[in-house]
Amino acid sequence: MNKELPRLSDPIPGLSEKGLATFLQTLDLLTNEPERVTRLLGHIDRIIDVSAVKRVAVVGCGPKPEIISLLRARGMDAFGVEPVPLFVQAACKYLNDENGAVLGAAERLPLADEECDLVFFENVLEHVESPRRCLVEIYRVLKPGGLVYLTTTNRHRFSLSGNNDEYSTPFLNWFPRTVREGYVHNQLHFDPALANDTERPAVHWFTFAELVALGRDAEFARFYSTLDTRLPNTALVSRNPLRRWVQSSGWLLRTIQRSPWLRAMALSQMPGDIMMWKRKL
């Protein structure tokens, strides 16, 4: 082999540090995290009793896990799991807690059986090697009656600008699978900026039904979107006037929630979120 050529499995030099910097810049553009977490806990409380939640894992917590600080402020024993060593170091520094985050992959969580009441698994499933294995692991570490709140890509969501939240290539989520894999290959070997300089670009795209199927295969019993747990006339942060109108109209929201066809249409264009509940014994 030509010694001047790197092996294809070798990482791009300096990408970890660049990826960390890009990730932190992206976080600065996000919405108000305290309001978001309060809103999420309200959705979760419609399924399980949030006041009874004690142990919480944030899987894929990233380098600046503000959500862990906010959950701890509510009296929860929250901690992070993260597969990128630099992110683990940054997370522990951010939390001022050397045990605030631990190194571990979602497919092999460094946690005991039935250790957690609640797991947050946000914007991670699209990046992992095995989505099924991740959900099996999360099921294992949840107590009976526990819940995972998961967000990921929505394969059918349409944006006029082609924004897909993962790659700079417009409409990539609508490309044929083989073509999408070509962009993944380019990102990993030639142009890391295609997906925000990450070492682990998004490689999976899901529909709500596909997430339900994965969850059932991992033995979860019930599945809900935030559409199902939303109450009328409550605050909704959205730039979409149609979503705000639906939210403000109690009868319309209830109609969508109770109609299989309308619910399916709404879920096809919502962010890819799902809550999976582990049956009590």
Side-chain angles (χ1 to χ4, degrees), residues 78-90:
F79 63 98
V81 179
E82 171 60 48
V84 181
L86 275 180
F87 282 20
V88 173
Q89 297 172 19

Side-chain angles (χ1 to χ4, degrees), residues 17 56-57 68 82 92 97 147 183 194 213 230 256 265 271 274:
E17 293 77 10
V56 184
I68 294 178
E82 171 60 48
C92 291
D97 178 2
L147 189 81
Y183 278 89
L194 277 174
R230 186 164 293 152
I256 293 173
M265 291 172 62
I274 190 170

Side-chain angles (χ1 to χ4, degrees), residues 27-224:
L27 286 180
D28 291 338
L29 301 176
L30 297 180
T31 55
N32 186 290
E33 187 70 350
E35 291 182 5
R36 189 186 78 91
V37 171
T38 297
R39 191 165 60 250
L40 285 182
L41 292 176
H43 287 291
I44 292 168
D45 193 58
R46 294 210 62 211
I47 305 170
I48 64 173
D49 182 1
V50 167
S51 67
V53 168
K54 301 301 180 187
R55 186 80 163 153
V56 184
V58 181
V59 179
C61 65
K64 189 179 178 182
E66 186 178 357
I67 185 173
I68 294 178
S69 297
L70 295 169
L71 294 172
R72 287 180 172 183
R74 292 172 177 265
M76 300 178 190
D77 180 13
F79 63 98
V81 179
E82 171 60 48
V84 181
L86 275 180
F87 282 20
V88 173
Q89 297 172 19
C92 291
K93 183 177 180 180
Y94 174 82
L95 295 167
N96 194 27
D97 178 2
E98 62 180 12
N99 299 313
V102 296
L103 186 67
E107 293 94 339
R108 295 172 299 279
L109 292 174
L111 307 175
D113 293 357
E114 300 183 3
E115 179 177 342
C116 300
D117 303 292
L118 176 63
V119 172
F120 284 90
F121 194 42
E122 299 185 82
N123 305 314
V124 178
L125 193 68
E126 62 271 22
H127 301 278
V128 303
E129 274 74 32
S130 173
R132 179 189 178 278
R133 182 61 195 164
C134 293
L135 292 180
V136 168
E137 273 291 273
I138 291 174
Y139 182 91
R140 177 184 66 81
V141 305
L142 277 173
K143 296 176 182 177
L147 189 81
V148 55
Y149 173 77
L150 184 159
T151 63
T152 186
T153 54
N154 182 340
R155 183 159 58 88
H156 287 163
R157 195 176 188 194
F158 180 77
S159 165
L160 289 175
S161 65
N163 177 43
N164 56 76
D165 295 325
E166 296 294 339
Y167 289 79
S168 58
T169 305
F171 302 106
L172 184 70
N173 55 310
W174 288 92
F175 289 5
R177 186 168 184 172
T178 302
V179 178
R180 291 203 308 265
E181 288 296 336
Y183 278 89
V184 172
H185 181 82
N186 275 16
Q187 195 277 342
L188 289 171
H189 299 290
F190 309 120
D191 187 5
L194 277 174
N196 300 313
D197 301 306
T198 180
E199 296 178 273
R200 293 172 176 252
V203 295
H204 306 289
W205 302 82
F206 303 94
T207 65
F208 187 82
E210 288 167 347
L211 291 173
V212 170
L214 280 170
R216 286 208 175 103
D217 193 39
E219 300 188 55
F220 283 95
R222 296 188 184 182
F223 307 89
Y224 306 92

Side-chain angles (χ1 to χ4, degrees), residues 238-246:
S238 175
R239 289 173 294 181
N240 187 321
L242 180 60
R243 289 186 67 197
R244 292 198 302 269
W245 177 61
V246 170

Side-chain angles (χ1 to χ4, degrees), residues 6-7 10-19 188-189 192 199:
R7 285 184 169 82
D10 291 341
I12 296 176
L15 187 58
S16 293
E17 293 77 10
K18 190 173 182 181
L188 289 171
H189 299 290
E199 296 178 273

